[in-house]
Amino acid sequence: MSESLKLQKEQQQRDLETRYESSYHQGSLSSVSRQSYAAYVSSSSHGHKISKKEKKLSTLSKKEKCSYLAVDKEDEIIGYVVPVFRSSHLATQDLMETQEEVKEEGMGYVVMRNLFSRETDFKMRTVKKSRETSLRESAERLALSRKMHEKEEFQKKMNPDSLTHPPEFILKPRGQTVWEGKSVTLHCTVAGWPKPRVAWYKNNVLIDAKSHPEKYFTESQYNMHSLEIKKCNFSDTAEYRISALNVKGESSAFAPVIIKNGFSPEYGVTFNTTIIDKFDVSFGREGETMSLGCTVIVYPTVKRYQPEIVWYRNGVALTPSKWVHMHWSGEQAILTLVHLNKEDEGLYTLRVNTKSGFDTHSAYVFVRDADVEEEGVPVAPLDVRCHDANKDYVVVTWKQPAVEGSSSIIGYLIDRLEVGTHHWTQCNDTPVKYARFPVTGLIEGRSYTFRVRALNNSGVSRPSRASDPVVAMDPSDRAPGPSAPWTGMIKFTEEDPTVGVVPGPSTDLAVTEATKSYVVLSWKPPIQRGHEGVMYYVEKCLVGTDTWQRVNTGMPVKSPRFALFDLAEGKSYSFRVRSCNSAGVGEPSEETGATTVGDRLDLPSVPGPVIPIRNTDTSVVVCWGASKEVKNLVGYYIEVSVSGSGVWVPCNNKPVKGTRFVCHGLNTMDKCVFRVKAVNAAGYSGSSAESEACIVQASIAVPSPPTGVTLQERVRDYMVLGWQAPAKAGGADIKGYYLDYRTVKDGVTSKWHEINLQAVTGTSYKVTDLKENVFYQFQVHAVNRAGISESSIPTIPLECKEWTVALPGPPHGLRVQEVRKDSMVLLWEPPTFNGRSAVTGYYVDYKEENGRWRCVQERSTRNTYMKVINKLTGVSYRLRIHAKNLAGVGGPSKATDAILAETRPGTNEIVVDVDDDGVISLIFECSDLKENSQFVWSKNYEAFTDTSRLTIQTAAGRSRAIFNDPSLEDLGTYSCFVTNTDGVSASYTLTEQGELLYVNCEQFSAVIPFKSEMAIELQEKGRVRFWAEVAKFTSNCQVEYVFNDNIIHEGKKYTMNFNKTTGIIEMFMDLLEVTDEGTFTFNLFDGKATGRTSLVLIGEEFAELQKKSEFERAEWVRRQGPHFVKYLSFEVTPECDVHLKCKVGNIKPGTEIAWFKDGIEIEEDDEDCLCLTVPTIPQQISKKDAGVYEVKLKDERGKDKTLLNLTDAGRTVLNEVFRVIANSSTELKVMSTEHGIILYSFVVHYIEDLRVGWLHKESKISHSDRVQCGVTGEQLWLKINEPTEKDKGKYAIDIFDGKGSFKRVLDLSGQGKNRARVVGGLPDVVTIQEGKSLNLTGNVWGDPVPEVGWVKNDKPLLSDAHHTLKFEHGKFASITIAAVTTVDSGKYALLVKNKYGTEAAEFTVSVYIPEDEPLTSIVFFLILSMPVATVDCLVTNSVRAMRRPVPATLVLVPPSRNANAPHPIVCMDWCRIWLSTFFKINFFLAHRRKKTHRGMEQLEN
C-alpha cells in the first residue's frame, strides 16, 4: 500500500512539473510564481492525508482564490501574491484543480486493485428467477439509474463552473408608439450568472444617461432593467437595443420606438421619393472643381424627418474627404469634387433612402487630362495605392494612363514624401516598367505618401495624385479590431525578459513577386525568438553554386518582407533568411526553390472584335470581346477616331473592367471608329482591330406606353376607346396600336386577350362583340419599327351598357405643339359620342402643377385647336378639354402630362422669304432632325386639301413652303411639325393687315416695314450715330446709305453696320462738320421688296447738334487727363463746419493738386488733401474767408481747374448754416424753478445772426421783467417768473432756417397746478458737527405723483448703508445721513418730476470739526448775511491777502462805496480762518450765484 502511494506521489509530481514547466509557459515564470509553486508543492505533501469527507469548503470566492495563492490550512490568507503573468496564473489554478482530481482517481485505483488481488476462492452458482422477480429487479435498476442521473445533474449544477451561464432575456422590451412630448419607458428582465452588465443603445449608438439626465433615466434592480425617455420628440424615433454581457457571452433584445406628431406620424406612412433636376453626363478637366446636384422631393412631408442621402462612385459609397464634399439642404443634394483627378472618373449614383424604400439616379462623369507641359510626354498615372505596409517596407501600385504620348512609356518613377515635410524624394533610380514597386528603407513609425510619374522618350509626365498616408509599422501593432468587453477584473502582467536567446530559423519563406527589376521575398518570424525584437539577413545563391552571399550586409531588415534588386535577368537564384537579435544570428531558414529572374506576369492579349451601337446624338455604345489570355486584368481603354482623320482620342481616362462602355461627348453625325486595348500591371496589350464606322445619332427604340386610355362611347354590345400617343416615339414613326381586354367579375380578373390583330393607326378604336352588363378592362400597346411598347395602365372596370346621357363625351387625342415660354398650342379630336345633339364648341381648362383648374376662354371655340397664353414662364401646366352641345357641357377629357412653359435652346421659328423674282415662301429649319423624320405642313392645323396652292421642298433639315399663286385665299395660320423629334414645331400667321405681304389680285408688291424709323444719337467723344430698326426682312436684305442723294460708303469718315440678327442699321460719324448739313437716308432692298427711311439735319437743329458734338468731344479730351468729376462746391456738416469739396478722376501719384484763394496758393500740410474746412462763424465767412476759391490739377497728360466764388455765395452759405442749426434743435422742454418755469431747447451751435423768436398762442412774446428770453451756450431759453393762469397755452420757438421759419411747440395748458414741486421742508444751508446724523424731509406735490430723486454735487445719490432715501405716502421725501463726515459736505438737491414739469430744491450741507466751530461758524454765518456783491469783494481781497507774505487784515468793501476807501469790519488772523472756511464759502457761492467763474478762477489760482 505504501509503495503504491509512493509511486503515485512521484507520478503526480512529474505530471505537475511537466504541465507547469511547459514550453509555452517556461519563458514567463518569475521568482514570485516559482515561490508560489514551491509553497503549493510543500503544502500538497501533507494534503493527501486529509480524507475527502473532512475537506472543508473555502469561504473565499473563486476569483479571490485566483488572487490569493498563499493560504494556510484553514484557508486563511497569509500573503498577497499578484500573478506575474496571466497565463502562469491560469496554469497554476488549473494545476491545483487537477491535483485534487488526480488524488481521487489514484485512491480509487488502489482500492480496485487490492479488491481483485485477494487470494479468495470464488464459487459459481446458478440462480433461477421468476418473471416477476426479473421485472422487479429491472424496474429497480431503472429507478437507481434515474436517481444516479439526477444526482449527477444536481452535482453538475452545484459545481460553480456549471452554475455560470450566458445572459438570457426572460422578459424582452416591447416596442411602443407615443405622441410627441410624452415620455416612454422600456422594461426588460435578464437572467445570467455571473450577473450580467447591461447597456442601452439607440440605433447602435451607446446611450450615456449620466451625460444627458434631462433626456434619459436608467434603472436596474433585481435583474429588472428600464430605460425612460423623457419629453420625446421626432428625433427619438429609433430602434433601441439593450445588451447584456457577462463572461459567458452576450445577448441583445430590440424594441422600436415610434414618436407620432400631430398630423403625419412616420409610422405607417409610405414615403414617395421623386428626384428632379437630375445631373447629366458631365465632363471635367483635371484641376477643375465639379458639382453634381439633384432636387429630391419626399412626399408626404413629415416635420423634422430627412431622408438618408448616399453618394456612390462605381458602386462604392463615398465619404466626405479632402477631395469630396457633400451637402444636403433639405431639398437639394449636392456633391462637389474638388480639384478633379482621373481617379474621380466613374459612374456616380445618388441614392435616397427612406423608411419606405429608396430611389436612385446615376450618370457618368468623365475627367479629361490636363494639358501637358511639354508636347509628346505621357499623361500622369492614376490610382496610386499602398499595400502590405510593414516596419520599413511598403508596396506601391498604380494604373497606367490612357495616353502614352508620342512614344511608348519606358517606365515609371516613384516619389515619396514624409508626412509633415515638403520635400519629395525619388525612390528608384532606374524606371520600372511594372506598375507595382516595393519601397524599402522607410523609418519605422513615420507616415509617408507616394506619387508616380511616367517616362517616355519625350520626357516625364506630371505627377499623379498623392496616395493616402501610410504608417511604416508592424501590422500586428496597428489598431486592433473590436476588443473583448470589460468584465470588471484588472490583472497585472509583467514579462520576464529572456536574455541570451538566439532566435530560431524563419519559416514559410517564399518568392511572392518576380520581375525583371526585382524579386520580393516574404516569410514568417521564427517561433523561438524570446521577447526581444528580431531582425533579418537575406542571403542569395546562384543556382549551380554553393556560395551564399548576404544581400543586406550593412543593415538587417525589420520587416518579414524584402525586395532584391540588381539581379541578373534570366539567371536562377535561391534565397534564405537568417534571424538575429542581440544574442546573435540564428540558423538559416529553408531555402527557396530556384527562381528565374524575369516577369512572371505577361502582357494581356489583344481584345476581341469591337462593335459600336448607336445610342444618342452624342454617345455610342461600344462592345468588345474580352482578352482571352490575361492575368490580373486592370481594365480596358477605349479610343475613338473620326473616320479618315487618323487622330485617336481616349474615351475613358480610367480603365473599365467590363466589355461594354458608353462613349459620351461625341459630335452628332460624325462617322467614328473605335478600338480597345487591355492593361494589367505588366503593361498594355496591343490595340484591337478597328470597328466598323458608326454615325453618331440617336438609336431607334421601342416607344413609351400610350397614356390616358378613356371611354368615349358605349352601347349594348360595343365600346369606343381613346388614348394619347406615347410621349416618346423611340426615334421612329408610330405604326399603330394593339389593344387587349379582360373581364372583371366580383373583383376577379381573367387573362388578357387580344382585340385587334392588325395595328390601329388612329388613337381611338371601336371594340365590338361585347356582352351587355359585363365589366371590362382595356390596355393599349404602341408599335414602331423597333418593336412593341409596354402596355398602358389598365383602365378601371368599365360596364358595357347603353349610354343614355344627353351631354357629349370627352374629346380625345390631346397633343401640344409649339411650346414657348409665353404660349403653347393645344390640338384635340372631337368626341366620339356627341350626346343628344351635335357638338357646338369646346372649352379649354388649364392648371398649374399643384393648382386648381381654370378655364382659358370665356366663350367656347368651334376649332379643334387653341393657342394658350402662358401666365407664368418656367411653370408646368396641364390642359384638358370639355365638349359642349345644346344640352350643356360634357365631362373633361384626360388631362395632358405636365408641360413646362419654356423656350428650349435652339428653337427656330418660321420665317418669310421673298426672292428676287418675288416668289414668297415660308421656311422652317430643324437642327434636331432624326432618321426618318419628316416635315408635316398644315394650314389652320388641318391637313392641306388643295395642294395646288403650295409647293413643299425639303432638303438637309430645311423645309420651304412656296406659294404658287399668292392671293387672299392664302391668309391663315401655317404650321410645321417635325416627326420623330421632341415636339419640334412652329407656326406663322398671314393676315391682311400689318404683315410683310400686301397681296393684290392683279399685281404683287412688297414693302419692308421699319420697327423704328431713322433716329440720331450723340455718343462719347462727340460721335454721332444714325440708326434704324427693321421689323421683318430676309437674310438677303441689303442696305444703301445716302447723303443728299449721293451714295456714301464706309471709310475714314463713315462707319456702317447692319446687324441681321437684331435688324438694326447703324452709321457712325466721328465729328460733324459744316458740310454735313443735309438729309441722310437708308435704302433697303430685299428681293423685290424695298424700304426707305430718312432724317433731315438743317438749320438750327444741325447747329445745336454740332455744338453738342463739339462739347462732348472737348469733354472727352478733358477726361483723358486729370479732371474734375464734380466741380468745387460747399457743404455744411451737422457740426456746422463749412467744407469746400470737389471730386477728381484719372489722377496718379505724379498729378499736381493746388488750392488758391484770390489767386494766392493755399499751403496745406497734407498735400493729398482735396478738402478745405472753413470756420463756422459767419463774420469770418463774410469777411476773412470771402473770396474766389480755385483748385487746379496738372500733369503731363493735361490740366483742369474749378472755381467757387464765396463772395457772391456768402449769404447762401450762411442760410445753409441756419438750416442745419434749426434742424438740430431739440424738442421744447419745461423746467420748474423756485421763481417759476423755464422753457428751453438745445441746438448744435449758435451764432448771433440767427433770428430766434418765442410765441405764445401764435403771438410774439415781448420781453419784460417777468418774461425773459436768452441764450446760454447752445441752450435757447424762455424764463417765466411767477406764472399765472394767463400764461397757460401753446408756446413755440421760431428759428430762422435760411428760407423760412422752423418751429418747436409745447402745450402748457393745465400743467401749472399739477406740475411736480417741492413745497417746503428743506433749508437752504445745514451746518452739522462731524459724527452726528442728519435727517431732512421735503414736502412734495404733483399730479400724477412725481418721481423723486436726490443728487449731490450734480451726481445721483443711491440708498445705501450711509445714505437712507425714502418717499412715503407720495408726499414726503426724506434723506438720512448717518455719522456725517467732512466728505458729506456739499451741494444737495431734491429732484421731483412728472409729465408736467420738473423742479429741484437745492440746499448746502456743511460739516465742521468741533475745534474749529466757534471761529469758522462766526465767519461763515457772517458771510451768509452779506449781499452777493459784498461776498464778491470779499473773495477778491481774500485772494490778494493770501498772496502776501504775512497775515493780512480782511477788508470788505460794500459795492456802493469807492473801492479805494477801505472800510475795515473784522481784523483777525486771516490765514487760520480762511483755511477752515474755504470750502464752506465755495458751496455758499455756488448756491447764491449762478455765475461765479471769475471768483472761482481766482480761488483756483
Side-chain angles (χ1 to χ4, degrees), residues 1096-1209:
V1096 178
L1097 284 179
I1098 58 176
E1100 293 182 359
E1101 185 177 358
F1102 174 79
E1104 183 178 358
L1105 181 64
Q1106 185 184 18
K1107 183 178 180 181
K1108 290 181 179 180
S1109 175
E1110 292 176 352
F1111 175 78
E1112 288 295 331
R1113 185 169 183 81
E1115 279 294 297
W1116 178 82
V1117 172
R1118 184 181 68 87
R1119 289 193 294 269
Q1120 300 311 301
H1123 62 278
F1124 290 96
V1125 178
K1126 292 183 178 179
Y1127 290 104
L1128 191 60
S1129 62
F1130 71 90
E1131 176 190 26
V1132 180
T1133 67
E1135 293 78 17
C1136 286
D1137 294 334
V1138 180
H1139 290 176
L1140 303 184
K1141 63 178 183 178
C1142 55
K1143 185 176 181 180
V1144 300
N1146 197 16
I1147 64 172
K1148 60 182 183 179
T1151 303
E1152 297 180 4
I1153 305 173
W1155 286 74
F1156 297 87
K1157 177 187 176 184
D1158 296 330
I1160 301 173
E1161 185 175 357
I1162 301 174
E1163 298 294 339
E1164 290 287 341
D1165 295 337
D1166 186 2
E1167 297 180 356
D1168 297 332
C1169 179
L1170 299 183
C1171 174
L1172 177 64
T1173 301
V1174 180
T1176 58
I1177 302 176
Q1179 291 87 344
Q1180 294 177 345
I1181 293 177
S1182 60
K1183 296 179 180 180
K1184 179 181 177 181
D1185 292 312
V1188 178
Y1189 289 86
E1190 181 179 9
V1191 185
K1192 295 182 179 180
L1193 304 177
K1194 181 181 180 182
D1195 61 16
E1196 68 276 3
R1197 298 170 298 166
K1199 59 183 179 180
D1200 198 6
K1201 66 179 180 178
T1202 176
L1203 298 174
L1204 177 63
N1205 192 339
L1206 272 188
T1207 302
D1208 302 332

Side-chain angles (χ1 to χ4, degrees), residues 362-480:
S362 300
Y364 211 90
V365 172
F366 294 87
V367 180
R368 304 301 189 201
D369 288 298
D371 295 334
V372 295
E373 298 177 356
E374 185 177 350
E375 188 174 356
V377 300
V379 297
L382 66 151
D383 202 12
V384 180
R385 298 172 182 260
C386 298
H387 309 274
D388 198 17
N390 222 295
K391 294 181 180 179
D392 55 359
Y393 166 92
V394 69
V395 175
V396 180
T397 63
W398 61 91
K399 293 178 182 177
Q400 296 90 336
V403 179
E404 296 185 82
S406 59
S407 61
S408 299
I409 292 178
I410 299 174
Y412 300 91
L413 301 176
I414 299 88
D415 302 332
R416 75 164 181 254
L417 173 69
E418 185 177 337
V419 174
T421 64
H422 303 282
H423 177 66
W424 287 92
T425 303
Q426 186 171 312
C427 299
N428 57 321
D429 298 329
T430 303
V432 292
K433 185 76 174 178
Y434 209 67
R436 183 182 179 93
F437 184 75
V439 179
T440 59
L442 305 180
I443 300 176
E444 183 178 1
R446 298 188 181 181
S447 299
Y448 297 89
T449 58
F450 298 88
R451 70 183 187 185
V452 181
R453 295 171 292 158
L455 175 69
N456 68 358
N457 294 330
S458 299
V460 182
S461 72
R462 292 179 297 101
S464 66
R465 175 186 281 182
S467 68
D468 293 332
V470 63
V471 183
M473 62 185 301
D474 194 320
S476 61
D477 296 336
R478 297 181 186 274

Side-chain angles (χ1 to χ4, degrees), residues 40 42 113 124 134 189 344 430 746 888 921 1060 1178 1328 1371:
Y40 172 76
S42 62
R113 189 192 65 180
M124 300 293 293
S134 299
T189 303
D344 299 321
T430 303
D746 297 331
S921 60
K1060 295 187 178 181
I1328 187 170
K1371 296 181 179 180

Side-chain angles (χ1 to χ4, degrees), residues 703-709 722-729 734 736-737 761-764 780 782 812-815 897:
S704 60
T707 58
V709 182
W723 58 89
Q724 295 181 12
K728 296 181 180 179
I734 301 294
Y737 302 91
T761 56
T763 56
S764 63
V780 184
H812 62 279
L814 278 68
R815 59 190 185 277
D897 294 332

Side-chain angles (χ1 to χ4, degrees), residues 1 14 91 393 436 496 938 1165 1272 1449:
M1 183 69 177
R14 284 196 299 270
Y393 166 92
R436 183 182 179 93
D496 186 17
S938 62
D1165 295 337
T1272 302
T1449 300

